[in-house]
Amino acid sequence: MDSDGTQDARGTHASPVPRPAGPPEVPAMPPRPPRAPATPPLPDGSAFLTWLRAPRPDAAPGVWRFGHRPRPAEEPEEIPTRQLLSGALIAFLVGWLVWSLLQNGYLGTWWWVPFDLIVPDAWRGGDSDLGETGTFIVYEGYELLVALGIMIGAARLGRWGEVWRRFVTPRFRRPEAQEPRTTPEDDPAQWNELRAAGAPDAAERLATEARSGLMRDVDHARILRAWQGVRTGRHSLAAFSGAVLKDGAAACLHPSGERDLPARLARHDLVTGQVRLGTTVDDARNPYAYRGTGLALGPDLLGTSLVAVGPAGSGKTGTVVRPLAESLCLHALAGRAAVVVVGAAGAGLGPADAYDVVVRIGNQESEYDLDLYGGATDPDEAAAVLAEALVGDLADPHPGSDGRRSTTVLAQLLGPFRAVHGRFPSVPELRQLLDGAPGPFAALRQGLQEAGQESLLRELDARERQMGQPGDAGGVLGDRVALLDRPAFAGFFDTSGQSRPFTLKALDHPVRVRIDLPQRGHADASRMLARLVLAQFTASVAVREDRSLFACLLLDDATGVVTPEAVRGIQRLRSGNAGVVLTLRTLDDVARPLRGPLLGATGCRMALSGLTPWDGQDFAEVWGKEWTEARDVTDRQIIAETPAGKAVHMLRRVITGKAPTARAVTVRQVERERWSASELAHAVPAGHAVLSLTDVKGEHAPPLLVDLRG
């Protein structure tokens, strides 16, 4: 049985390749065999069970939930260490002094009055009913009570409890185990939901596989995905149970037959779907609840799309795109997601055998081709997507503009050509038609006349009349198509069925795709192809039948890709359970009228270290301002004139480490930028980033300073 969404991706997955097992990061599990469905038993499954049973409390957006310990929303006031220890020592000395004075009678005998009122006369004196020993115990016991009272008072005044909690308790605290105590009723390793639904044999088989070490995190996620298909009615309970009883943890495999990636570089938690990118810095600018916590992203946040801006070398590819690509590939193996990763050849986006399809445009050894028309069969749809790719960057950058004229020109050619040849034109054929070559036009006209396609003949006549006229978009389109009609791309974008073209219509399935762009010597063509992939992606996810499968496009270096139509397409992705990740070296790579709409269309925004002040200004504007409490403090040093006053001032200086002052504090509410342009440009350390988050439910996380190396 195939898991929900794990059907063959229309023949788009690569041939099986033997892979070495890679050491996973989280959970820390024994190495696994790469491909065999029935793996030999391991010594035990304690590592997997510990990972599965680890606490994952609900948390704010972006918090790494694996083993997370929630913190208070507000920071408690903490006394400075020097002041706390000095106060505790002085309170002890004062208590000791009071007790010594009482013991030596310098303060009188008034403190024995309660003893005289409570203790019977028969218990006093050496000849009392209690005897000398009993009398001694009574007197010593009372003195002990008085001493204890003095000690309690000194402890409260000196905050001894705070000293104990801050400096003593951490030294003796034992590290808490990650695995909580579970009962059979709430143990996730028992698969109780399957038992309750009438599949006890399947549940017992999975529980046995988990205990014996045959199950991994991807297996667990994949089987849960298949079980969701049973609950929604896509699969029958009998088929699911049969697959589990037959294959155990290897049931419902991905079409590639893989159960894990060849290697993992990031830390993943497939129960929550998160990948850890770093650690939120313990900084006053971060909310207290986030400080020191792990920072993680998952489909719930990527569903609102992410834009990351930072100069070359700031870590966009290595610390952002690569971990996200790795995470989404794991989700694809679990039948949860489809991922397309686009970047320059050799950009370090993961090994080829971590993907089902690798399209190396410009490399004649590439096993796969890219469908220039995105698998469309309607000429108008194909023309709209192709026009966006060819001249979308030349359109009026105002968000309300469109490229309707270019779409019309292409539709006037694609429709007649398809009617005559039963396919869309290849790149050389399309270039000839856009250039107005007489031979192809005459052949196309003759074919339409023989087929009796009068309406398409009128389209072709209109195209001929418009050619050469002022404002005709055909010439610009022809020039852009010429960038693809180069010897380096010979054999690519074939429409005659000679190659294996990949189409983004395959995003109905959990496919893993990497597209390598030929940056060197073909920068303009690469930007045009990146626009093509983005346009095809936004068009394809909008018409998917199964939207329970998360689809994500990771575009490393989106220079020249952001157009008015692209911004509109990104805005529509959230409703289709899809998202994009775009990286830019600078916002100057986006037209000025589109910068605000782009930052507004994406729910997650990241500014990496090294940002320019003018880029920081755009982020500061989109993050807005907040009301904060401003405290204006005026200190005036107090001059002591008497010896007693000087002694008191000296004591205060010893306790606080500061000269005695008279302080006047003015508190007022002011509105300030969360992060100013200057702070973003100069106060973000290397290897860090400022990141704001929004999940698909609309919950927000304010801009957070994150260490991407932690």
Side-chain angles (χ1 to χ4, degrees):
M1 166 191 167
D2 292 327
S3 65
D4 190 14
T6 59
Q7 294 86 6
D8 187 356
R10 302 185 184 180
T12 57
H13 62 272
S15 302
V17 179
R19 306 178 182 177
E25 293 290 334
V26 173
M29 299 180 294
R32 58 180 309 161
R35 296 190 57 87
T39 54
L42 297 175
D44 61 71
S46 59
F48 172 77
L49 294 177
T50 300
W51 168 81
L52 184 60
R53 293 167 177 164
R56 296 173 176 86
D58 293 335
V63 173
W64 173 251
R65 291 172 52 194
F66 180 81
H68 173 61
R69 294 174 182 168
R71 305 179 67 180
E74 300 294 335
E75 181 179 7
E77 294 186 5
E78 189 172 275
I79 303 172
T81 300
R82 179 172 178 175
Q83 183 177 344
L84 179 64
L85 295 178
S86 299
L89 177 60
I90 291 174
F92 171 75
L93 295 176
V94 169
W96 186 13
L97 176 62
V98 171
W99 174 245
S100 178
L101 293 175
L102 290 176
Q103 282 285 83
N104 291 282
Y106 289 103
L107 299 180
T109 60
W110 56 268
W111 57 289
W112 285 100
V113 172
F115 179 83
D116 295 336
L117 295 176
I118 297 173
V119 176
D121 294 338
W123 290 8
R124 304 176 192 174
D127 55 351
S128 66
D129 296 342
L130 298 177
E132 292 185 2
T133 302
T135 302
F136 175 79
I137 293 175
V138 169
Y139 277 84
E140 292 297 326
Y142 178 73
E143 290 184 351
L144 181 61
L145 289 176
V146 174
L148 183 62
I150 294 174
M151 185 177 66
I152 292 175
R156 292 179 64 87
L157 291 175
R159 297 185 175 90
W160 292 1
E162 178 67 19
V163 174
W164 182 271
R165 287 190 296 271
R166 193 187 299 186
F167 301 104
V168 179
T169 301
R171 297 181 179 273
F172 297 97
R173 181 181 297 163
R174 296 181 179 178
E176 299 180 6
Q178 284 288 354
E179 182 179 352
R181 295 182 179 179
T182 58
T183 61
E185 291 75 16
D186 60 5
D187 186 359
Q190 295 298 319
W191 299 86
N192 292 317
E193 189 174 353
L194 274 66
R195 301 177 192 272
D201 294 339
E204 187 58 35
R205 174 68 187 275
L206 293 175
T208 302
E209 298 267 298
R211 289 192 299 269
S212 61
L214 295 176
M215 184 176 289
R216 298 295 182 269
D217 54 350
V218 177
D219 299 329
H220 179 268
R222 187 184 64 251
I223 293 172
L224 278 183
R225 169 71 175 175
W227 175 246
Q228 290 176 0
V230 175
R231 294 175 56 188
T232 57
R234 291 190 180 94
H235 309 303
S236 67
L237 178 60
F240 173 81
S241 299
V244 170
L245 291 175
K246 176 185 176 184
D247 299 321
C252 314
L253 277 180
H254 184 266
S256 66
E258 298 296 333
R259 296 173 60 184
D260 205 346
L261 297 179
R264 301 189 190 185
L265 299 182
R267 299 180 62 187
H268 304 273
D269 182 26
L270 290 181
V271 172
T272 60
Q274 294 180 312
V275 55
R276 179 163 177 157
L277 296 186
T279 303
T280 307
V281 178
D282 190 0
D283 186 272
R285 289 168 291 194
N286 288 333
Y288 181 72
Y290 277 93
R291 295 178 195 172
T293 64
L295 192 284
L297 299 182
D300 58 330
L301 292 169
L302 296 179
T304 63
S305 298
L306 166 69
V307 60
V309 182
S314 59
K316 299 186 298 296
T317 302
T319 61
V320 179
V321 178
R322 173 67 186 271
L324 292 177
E326 192 175 274
S327 174
L328 291 168
C329 285
L330 289 173
H331 281 284
L333 290 178
R336 294 175 172 177
V339 57
V340 180
V341 183
V342 182
L349 299 177
D353 55 353
Y355 296 90
D356 303 308
V357 175
V358 178
V359 182
R360 298 183 174 93
I361 299 177
N363 187 338
Q364 300 302 323
E365 297 180 359
S366 177
E367 185 178 357
Y368 290 93
D369 192 2
L370 181 65
D371 191 336
L372 192 64
Y373 303 98
T377 57
D378 179 61
D380 292 328
E381 178 186 352
V385 173
L386 188 57
E388 166 67 12
L390 295 176
V391 294
D393 59 325
L394 301 180
D396 182 359
H398 191 276
S401 67
D402 57 51
R404 197 170 300 169
R405 286 187 301 170
S406 300
T407 301
T408 301
V409 169
L410 288 173
Q412 289 172 340
L413 297 174
L414 298 184
F417 192 94
R418 182 174 179 82
V420 173
H421 299 281
R423 58 177 178 85
F424 289 126
S426 63
V427 169
E429 292 169 332
L430 180 60
R431 181 183 181 184
Q432 289 179 335
L433 292 174
L434 289 171
D435 290 342
F441 257 90
L444 200 56
R445 179 180 301 278
Q446 181 179 355
L448 292 174
Q449 291 173 345
E450 293 175 355
Q453 297 281 355
E454 296 296 331
S455 61
L456 294 178
L457 273 173
R458 289 193 298 271
E459 289 277 284
L460 198 61
D461 291 339
R463 174 86 289 269
E464 284 189 298
R465 289 193 302 270
Q466 294 167 3
M467 281 192 305
Q469 304 229 348
D472 180 36
V476 177
L477 290 169
D479 292 341
R480 287 299 179 91
V481 171
L483 294 174
L484 300 180
D485 189 19
R486 305 296 302 161
F489 305 130
F492 283 89
F493 319 116
D494 180 66
T495 59
S496 63
Q498 302 291 326
S499 64
R500 300 179 63 185
F502 168 75
T503 168
L504 270 74
K505 295 290 184 180
L507 295 181
D508 278 335
H509 309 281
V511 63
R512 303 167 293 165
V513 184
R514 194 186 80 189
I515 301 176
D516 294 344
L517 300 178
Q519 291 281 1
R520 186 173 301 175
H522 301 279
D524 291 335
S526 294
R527 287 192 286 269
M528 191 163 56
L529 292 171
R531 287 196 300 272
L532 176 66
V533 175
L534 178 58
Q536 292 182 359
F537 178 83
T538 56
S540 299
V541 297
V543 296
R544 289 190 304 163
E545 296 179 1
D546 182 12
R547 295 193 177 184
S548 65
L549 195 70
F550 179 68
C552 191
L553 170 66
L554 282 73
L555 187 52
D556 191 33
D557 190 4
T559 302
V561 175
V562 180
T563 65
E565 186 59 35
V567 172
R568 285 193 290 267
I570 292 173
Q571 291 172 337
R572 295 190 295 265
L573 292 178
R574 186 187 303 190
S575 60
N577 192 23
V580 297
V581 176
L582 307 176
T583 68
L584 294 163
R585 293 187 179 91
T586 172
L587 286 175
D588 287 340
D589 292 334
V590 179
R592 166 55 68 180
L594 293 177
R595 296 178 193 175
L598 172 64
L599 294 175
T602 53
C604 304
R605 312 170 189 102
M606 177 182 288
L608 290 95
S609 62
L611 210 65
T612 60
W614 40 93
D615 282 347
Q617 185 61 44
D618 290 315
F619 278 99
E621 290 178 0
V622 76
W623 282 332
K625 300 180 179 181
E626 62 179 349
W627 287 99
T628 61
E629 186 179 85
R631 299 169 61 92
D632 296 331
V633 181
T634 303
D635 286 338
R636 179 179 59 83
Q637 185 173 355
I638 303 174
I639 305 300
E641 298 180 354
T642 64
K646 292 180 180 179
V648 172
H649 286 189
M650 183 179 298
L651 182 62
R652 288 182 61 180
R653 184 187 294 272
V654 171
I655 296 174
T656 63
K658 300 178 182 178
T661 57
R663 174 173 295 182
V665 180
T666 303
V667 181
R668 54 195 175 91
Q669 295 290 325
V670 297
E671 194 176 21
R672 291 179 178 172
E673 291 177 327
R674 288 183 168 91
W675 278 83
S676 68
S678 178
E679 288 176 325
L680 289 172
H682 306 294
V684 180
H688 291 62
V690 180
L691 171 65
S692 66
L693 303 170
T694 304
D695 66 13
V696 292
K697 297 180 181 179
E699 296 186 17
H700 297 267
L704 306 170
L705 180 61
V706 179
D707 184 357
L708 298 175
R709 302 165 301 183

